[in-house]
């Protein structure tokens, strides 16, 4: 299996009023086709920055990012992006929100309507297709946003803490949903999170980042196999991995403080 | 259903209190005039005004039509110019940097003072009155629409960027819809200013219209005519304002009062 996403020697610096901020530095990362990689790290370590560069929303200051062998210079049709906030448009119904990517790609709504309904059904929102987003709970809104990211069936999913604002019950529910969708459709997924359990539960590889400057401090394979369910969380391997990652993060924290 | 009736009831008390105060004030006004506490040349009693409105309704109606026509045309022009300019200012940074400051500075000139100038330029027909009202009304529509177009969440822009939306698509699918509530805020001010502008225009040059009647009443020492015209004018203003609210209710269903609880997230 070849790398679908390939990041080499990437750095990102921002010019600010108080001089230059190094958001990420020396990042090398390969994401294999069909794999699920979690980016785990403390707040401000550059996870979003990295993800946005892969999505083509920001340009790296240094290094290269390849997506399926092509330099990323702008957002591509290969990527579905999901943010922490659902960003559903309040003037569109739920199903119209799901169809937004189709409208923007100048596709025919009619041709995607069945898929949109099927996606909404798969996340348990079929009854809410014609509701307005503000009639939905936070978790339901994120489900709709997930459908929107999937409607044009992009091979790559980039998820920036999509469940970060949700309660833990809803989050676990959506974790199962995401896992199922990613595996059924063979997506390549890069997920940003600062929840250790979420990272271990979802990913087959966890990339740990440390802050100031943000860089990769550890890459941990998760050999738990799929499918996973609630029982998985109780496995000794799961607990051991989570503990190891927690320690890794703790050390990353301290290094971060010392470097300042 | 029950929620709707409750809202209606709340609306009713909202309207009820000012209405009660209004009634009291009108009653005081009536008593003051009846008891001759004020020289009658300055004040007409409410009953006299009402009587005048009923008996002179034909004259008032003809003049109202002239004024309404000016208001509506001026408002339409102000709305179109305001929104189109706002979009251009949003889309072209050079206009934002060069034109917008100039427009803001022109607002330092009291807009009513340009009415005589517009008469000089446009002659004595309806045009100078419509132009005066439009010039006064367009600015709040423009400024509010610009604010609305600018007030889009950065992340929402990132979303449309990640979907590879063109500039026009971003405008159409994101910026314009999210600016609509702002547009209406500007429109509510704009419609009121259109009324003011039309009357100011009629003060400067007119042979018909409610503003003209008010001037007539003033110069012929006829307070009843002045008050009757004012009452009709106020009614027209209220009706137009209400019409804007009704249109807003149907065009911006996501921004109705009870929905604001949820907000966007
Ligand atoms: N547009 C910007 N201008 C200046 N500095 C920025 C900008 N965006 C990010 N940064 C800086 O880059 C660093 C990394 O930010 P980033 O948002 O990638 O962190 P993160 O890991 O996603 O954090 P969180 O978990 O809180 O979302 C931070 O120190 C931040 O201040
Ligand atoms: Mg982030």
């Amino acid at each position: 299996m070849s790398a679908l996403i390939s990041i080499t020697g990437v750095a990102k610096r921002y010019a600010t009023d108080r001089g230059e901020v190094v958001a990420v530095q020396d990042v090398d990362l390969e994401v294999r086709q069909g794999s699920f990689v979690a980016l785990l790290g403390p707040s401000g370590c550059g996870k979003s920055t990295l993800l946005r560069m892969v999505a083509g929303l920001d340009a790296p200051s240094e290094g290269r990012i390849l997506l399926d062998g092509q330099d990323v210079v702008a957002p591509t049709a290969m990527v579905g992006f999901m943010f922490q906030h659902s960003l559903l448009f309040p003037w569109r119904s739920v199903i119209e929100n799901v169809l937004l990517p189709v409208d923007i790609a100048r596709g025919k709504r009619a041709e995607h309507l069945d898929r949109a309904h099927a996606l909404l059904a798969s996340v348990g929102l079929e009854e809410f297709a014609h509701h307005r987003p503000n009639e939905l709970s936070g978790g339901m809104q994120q489900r709709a946003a997930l459908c929107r990211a999937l409607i044009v069936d992009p091979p790559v999913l980039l998820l920036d803490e999509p469940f970060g604002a949700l309660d833990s019950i809803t989050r676990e529910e959506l974790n199962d949903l995401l896992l199922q969708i990613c595996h059924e459709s063979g997506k390549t997924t890069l997920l940003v999170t600062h929840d250790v359990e979420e990272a271990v539960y979802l990913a087959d590889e966890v990339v740990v980042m440390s802050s100031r400057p943000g860089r990769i401090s550890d890459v941990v394979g998760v050999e738990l196999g799929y499918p996973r369910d609630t029982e998985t969380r109780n496995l000794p391997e799961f607990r051991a991995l989570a503990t190891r990652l927690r320690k890794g993060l703790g050390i990353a924290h301290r290094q971060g403080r010392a470097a300042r | 259903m029950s929620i709707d009736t409750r809202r209606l009831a709340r609306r009713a008390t909202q309207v009820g209190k000012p209405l009660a105060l209004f009634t009291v004030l009108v009653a005081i006004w009536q008593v003051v005039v009846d008891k001759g506490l004020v020289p009658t040349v300055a004040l007409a009693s409410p009953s006299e005004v009402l009587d005048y409105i009923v008996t002179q309704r034909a004259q008032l109606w003809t003049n109202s039509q002239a004024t309404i026509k000016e208001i509506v045309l001026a408002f339409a022009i102000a709305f179109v110019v305001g929104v189109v300019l706002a979009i251009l200012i949003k889309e072209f940074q050079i206009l934002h940097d060069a034109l917008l400051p100039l427009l803001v500075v022109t607002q330092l000139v009291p807009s009513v003072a340009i009415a005589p100038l517009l008469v000089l330029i446009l002659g004595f027909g309806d045009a100078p009155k419509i132009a005066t009202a439009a010039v006064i009304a367009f600015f709040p529509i423009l400024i509010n629409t610009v604010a609305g177009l600018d007030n889009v969440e950065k992340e929402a822009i990132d979303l449309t960027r990640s979907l590879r939306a063109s500039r026009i698509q971003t405008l159409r699918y994101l910026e314009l819809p999210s600016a609509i509530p702002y547009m209406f805020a500007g429109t509510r001010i704009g419609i009121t200013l259109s009324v003011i502008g039309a009357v100011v225009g009629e003060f400067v040059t007119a042979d018909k219209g409610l503003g003209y009647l008010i001037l007539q009443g003033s110069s012929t020492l006829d307070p009843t005519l002045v008050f009757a015209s004012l009452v009709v004018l106020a009614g027209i203003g209220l009706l137009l304002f209400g019409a804007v609210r009704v249109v807003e209710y149907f065009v911006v269903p996501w921004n109705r009062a009870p929905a604001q609880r949820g907000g966007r997230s």
Side-chain angles (χ1 to χ4, degrees):
Chain A
M1 287 275 214
S2 61
L4 189 63
I5 304 171
S6 158
I7 302 170
T8 36
V10 161
K12 178 70 184 179
R13 292 181 289 269
Y14 287 107
T16 69
D17 298 342
R18 271 172 278 111
E20 206 170 62
V21 174
V22 182
V24 294
Q25 199 167 37
D26 301 327
V27 172
D28 296 293
L29 182 65
E30 306 254 285
V31 179
R32 276 172 296 108
Q33 166 113 41
S35 64
F36 196 126
V37 174
L39 273 176
L40 182 68
S43 186
C45 72
K47 305 181 293 292
S48 298
T49 304
L50 192 58
L51 205 68
R52 291 172 56 85
M53 288 190 290
V54 176
L57 290 170
D58 286 330
S61 314
E62 251 175 55
R64 285 181 83 178
I65 298 179
L66 301 180
L67 197 59
D68 199 23
Q70 303 275 315
D71 271 298
V72 175
V73 289
T76 74
M78 285 185 70
V79 169
F81 203 100
M82 223 180 131
F83 301 82
Q84 181 167 8
H85 302 287
S86 66
L87 301 174
L88 299 175
F89 295 169
W91 51 88
R92 287 181 162 236
S93 67
V94 169
I95 186 116
E96 286 172 330
N97 268 287
V98 172
L99 288 167
L100 177 72
V102 176
D103 290 344
I104 291 181
R106 299 191 173 81
K108 290 213 169 60
R109 275 192 184 188
E111 286 168 15
H112 291 78
L113 212 54
D114 286 346
R115 181 172 162 80
H117 277 293
L119 279 168
L120 284 176
S122 73
V123 301
L125 284 182
E126 65 269 54
E127 288 157 46
F128 295 90
H130 298 286
H131 284 231
R132 294 199 171 274
N134 57 20
E135 295 165 355
L136 267 53
S137 71
M140 290 156 86
Q141 291 180 7
Q142 274 316 72
R143 286 167 208 238
L146 181 60
C147 295
R148 183 183 58 199
L150 294 169
I151 184 74
V152 289
D153 205 14
V156 177
L157 282 183
L158 301 178
L159 314 173
D160 193 354
E161 301 192 43
F163 313 131
L166 304 178
D167 64 274
S168 59
I169 299 170
T170 313
R171 195 185 319 159
E172 286 186 17
E173 229 174 80
L174 288 185
N175 279 346
D176 284 326
L177 193 68
L178 180 64
L179 213 49
Q180 187 194 333
I181 287 169
C182 288
H183 276 264
E184 276 173 7
S185 53
K187 303 260 179 249
T188 306
T189 312
L190 193 53
L191 166 94
V192 165
T193 178
H194 44 218
D195 184 305
V196 172
E197 265 73 26
E198 183 172 82
V200 178
Y201 187 69
L202 292 174
D204 39 22
E205 194 170 274
V206 179
V207 174
V208 185
M209 291 182 69
S210 61
S211 35
R212 286 168 217 281
R215 52 176 98 223
I216 293 175
S217 57
D218 202 2
V219 178
V220 182
V222 182
E223 265 111 44
L224 291 171
Y226 295 96
R228 297 174 186 175
D229 55 28
T230 325
E231 296 300 310
T232 314
R233 295 177 200 273
N234 295 324
L235 292 176
E237 298 96 302
F238 187 99
R239 304 255 49 98
L241 266 176
T243 308
R244 171 175 166 197
L245 289 171
R246 273 220 173 74
K247 280 186 179 152
L249 281 173
I251 291 162
H253 268 301
R254 251 176 271 133
Q255 277 177 346
R257 298 247 162 71
R260 251 193 287 180
Chain B
M1 193 62 201
S2 74
I3 289 175
D4 263 357
T5 25
R6 232 183 300 145
R7 265 182 66 201
L8 224 60
R10 203 169 55 223
R11 223 359 108 69
T13 51
Q14 270 173 9
V15 177
K17 284 176 189 167
L19 211 60
L21 177 61
F22 179 74
T23 314
V24 170
L25 291 176
V26 169
I28 294 174
W29 176 11
Q30 179 77 39
V31 170
V32 165
V33 178
D34 283 351
K35 300 264 176 206
L37 299 174
V38 172
T40 41
V41 74
L43 218 52
S45 76
S47 58
E48 279 167 348
V49 172
L50 194 67
D51 190 52
Y52 187 96
I53 291 176
V54 173
T55 52
Q56 301 296 312
R57 59 182 178 278
Q59 179 210 11
L60 284 170
W61 175 234
T62 324
N63 286 285
S64 296
Q65 278 177 309
T67 306
I68 291 173
K69 185 180 143 205
E70 290 157 18
I71 295 170
V72 170
L73 278 175
F75 171 74
I77 295 170
F79 183 81
V80 172
V81 172
V83 170
V84 169
L85 259 187
I87 292 172
L88 292 175
I89 283 172
K90 168 73 188 170
E91 287 300 301
F92 299 100
Q93 189 64 36
I94 178 72
L95 288 182
H96 187 278
D97 295 347
L99 182 61
L100 194 55
L102 281 188
L103 287 172
V104 171
V105 169
T106 60
Q107 294 305 303
L108 297 176
V109 181
S111 327
V112 295
I114 60 156
L117 178 67
L118 289 171
V119 174
L120 279 183
I121 299 171
L122 296 169
F124 287 93
D126 281 345
K129 292 170 253 168
I130 295 170
T132 305
V135 165
I136 297 177
F138 103 98
F139 192 71
I141 298 174
L142 168 87
I143 283 297
N144 278 283
T145 308
V146 168
L149 291 171
D150 274 340
N151 194 44
V152 176
E153 258 177 284
K154 195 187 154 296
E155 276 201 322
I157 297 277
D158 282 339
L159 172 70
T160 56
R161 278 184 63 208
S162 80
L163 295 170
R164 303 187 302 156
S166 66
R167 252 172 108 159
I168 298 291
Q169 285 182 319
T170 307
L171 188 68
R172 171 177 167 198
Y173 291 122
L174 174 60
E175 287 159 344
L176 268 181
S178 49
I180 289 176
Y182 290 78
M183 238 182 258
F184 271 103
T187 298
R188 291 201 293 266
I189 306 170
I191 195 81
T192 320
L193 291 183
S194 296
V195 178
I196 296 176
V199 172
V200 167
E202 288 174 355
F203 279 1
V204 177
T205 165
D207 48 12
K208 58 182 186 304
L210 291 167
Y212 168 75
L213 285 189
I214 292 171
L215 273 194
Q216 283 274 298
S218 168
S219 60
T220 58
L221 302 185
D222 182 357
T224 322
L225 175 57
V226 174
F227 275 113
S229 308
L230 277 176
V231 169
V232 174
L233 200 55
I236 291 171
L238 266 176
L239 270 181
L240 289 172
F241 188 81
V244 171
R245 292 313 298 255
V246 168
V247 173
E248 181 174 3
Y249 183 84
F250 287 104
V251 173
V252 198
W254 66 90
N255 213 28
R256 284 176 199 161
Q260 272 168 0
R261 242 179 318 123
R264 271 172 75 181
S265 64

